[in-house]
Amino acid sequence: MTPAEFTARKRRFALALFQQKLDVALITSPVNVRYLTGFTGSNSLLILTPTTSLLLTDPRYAIQVAQEADAKQKRVVKGPLLAQATEWLKEKKARWIGVEAGHLTYGSLQTLDDQLPKRCKIVPLDDSLEKQRALKSPAEIARIRHSVDVNSQAFERALKTLKPGVTEAQFAAEIDYRMRRLGAEQTAFETIVASGKHSALPHAKPRQAAIGAHAIVLVDMGAQVGGYMSDMTRMVHLGKPGRRFADLHAAVLEAQLEGVAAVRAGVKAGDVDAATRKPLKRQKLDKYFVHSTGHGLGLEIHEGPRIGKGSETVLEEGMVITIEPGAYVEGFGGIRIEDTVLVTKTGCEILTPTPKELRVL
Ligand code: ZN
Ligand code: ZN
């Protein structure tokens, strides 16, 4: 990311502040601080006004903040960052102060209330920063591509070790190891490996349980590379799959393909969700599809837009989303197929290179 990119992000967000009639925004979530300044330290507070930016952190990050953060002013302070921020707000006579309602703790809000003069009004920021983050720049898209590639390569390499007797936890560890060897900073989330009936839990935790000789294996994995996430779910079957599983897999694959085909700039996210449900409904399998079709991803594994039932959000060129229908049958097993795709003017580009047909090992 170039300094120009961070300047552009801050400028755009400053415009949103102006539209909300706010004097200043207090950005306390590390991910939004990273988005606006590039700073990756775990303790920071960004004060942003339409004309300036001040980034506060503690002495552990003195060298790092100088190296990586893009902000007009940077201050390394001892003690609570919020106390410093309130001093600054008093000094500058700020009145309308926007905070991240989903992140600022109740305790911090009380501190602000106690320490700021009565004329100060603390209001929640609207979702303009989330909306801004949903639209990816070319540099961000390049990072997501890299993340997706690392993720898919790690899957192929790890797959060589998958055989009956390996536990779900061991295979998940193999995936994580491969990801790190290929350049990921960490996994985007806790890798899901679920075999047999356990795969009916959409967010199963890998168990210390051996994968059987004839078993469904659901793998949901993502990497974080250069700060950016990837997300993919694939189905593997050890031994020849039974008819019921093969049919269910074919139905979910059809739903996934229909969902991908519905993605285009100008289309409502809710319509994409409906498109993935339709083929499942035809086969009376829609009751087994218990979650949303997908989500945006970027610096976070789950961010805007939500691709769910009734979502009025209109897809735009440059959004990166997942399409991940599933069917989960208690007592039998579950199937999910998930790609990461880039929304384009005329449709979408599937970023995930891994084939999504069932792998039989
Ligand atoms: Zn996933
Ligand atoms: Zn996902």
Side-chain angles (χ1 to χ4, degrees), residues 134 269 294-297 303-307 311 313 315 319-321:
H295 52 87
L297 55 74
E303 55 181 59
R306 184 181 74 90
I307 315 297
S311 169
T313 307
L315 297 182
M319 287 179 169
V320 178
I321 59 173

Side-chain angles (χ1 to χ4, degrees), residues 189 192 203 220-221 231-233 295 301-302 322 324 336 338:
F189 52 89
I192 296 173
H203 267 198
D220 189 352
M221 58 191 281
D231 196 0
M232 165 176 89
T233 310
H295 52 87
I301 187 62
H302 293 123
T322 68
E324 50 176 307
R336 176 165 67 254
E338 173 181 31

Side-chain angles (χ1 to χ4, degrees), residues 134-284:
L135 286 175
K136 269 69 184 178
S137 69
E140 290 184 289
I141 292 167
R143 290 204 181 186
I144 294 172
R145 275 183 204 281
H146 189 193
S147 180
V148 164
D149 286 342
V150 163
N151 197 39
S152 285
Q153 276 187 54
F155 177 67
E156 294 303 335
R157 290 188 189 186
L159 213 52
K160 294 192 172 85
T161 68
L162 179 59
K163 45 181 172 286
V166 169
T167 69
E168 292 173 358
Q170 282 167 345
F171 186 52
E174 184 70 29
I175 287 172
D176 298 356
Y177 168 71
R178 289 293 161 194
M179 248 184 233
R180 295 286 289 259
R181 285 293 304 263
L182 287 160
E185 291 112 34
Q186 56 186 10
T187 59
F189 52 89
E190 208 179 316
T191 302
I192 296 173
V193 173
S195 67
K197 291 174 189 171
H198 195 53
S199 58
L201 280 66
H203 267 198
K205 269 196 181 301
R207 302 167 299 173
Q208 304 289 348
I211 299 171
H214 293 275
I216 301 168
V217 186
L218 182 154
V219 181
D220 189 352
M221 58 191 281
Q224 182 193 319
V225 184
Y228 283 79
M229 308 299 177
S230 47
D231 196 0
M232 165 176 89
T233 310
R234 287 294 183 265
M235 299 304 305
V236 182
H237 202 284
L238 296 190
K240 195 179 175 319
R243 185 63 189 269
R244 188 178 183 194
F245 177 78
D247 287 349
L248 212 51
H249 187 275
V252 174
L253 181 57
E254 193 189 345
Q256 208 272 347
L257 294 170
E258 289 287 315
V260 168
V263 176
R264 182 165 38 86
V267 167
K268 279 183 192 162
D271 292 343
V272 175
D273 182 79
T276 56
R277 276 171 217 282
K278 217 186 247 172
L280 294 170
K281 205 170 260 175
R282 270 201 304 271
Q283 303 189 49
K284 298 196 168 52

Side-chain angles (χ1 to χ4, degrees), residues 62-137:
I63 298 169
Q64 192 179 326
V65 77
Q67 285 174 346
E68 67 179 14
D70 184 282
K72 280 223 174 101
Q73 300 172 63
K74 305 168 194 178
R75 225 178 265 171
V76 176
V77 298
K78 287 182 182 145
L81 304 184
L82 202 60
Q84 291 285 328
T86 51
E87 285 311 309
W88 190 92
L89 292 167
K90 280 195 268 190
E91 196 184 302
K92 300 288 177 197
K93 298 190 166 45
R95 196 174 146 84
W96 291 93
I97 302 159
V99 297
E100 293 176 281
H103 187 265
L104 191 82
T105 63
Y106 187 77
S108 297
L109 184 62
Q110 278 183 319
T111 303
L112 287 174
D113 256 343
D114 291 347
Q115 295 182 1
L116 288 172
K118 283 283 163 280
R119 63 182 160 78
C120 292
K121 299 278 179 267
I122 299 160
V123 295
L125 289 166
D126 68 11
D127 60 354
S128 50
L129 191 53
E130 283 64 38
K131 282 187 176 150
Q132 187 178 331
R133 274 179 47 194
L135 286 175
K136 269 69 184 178
S137 69

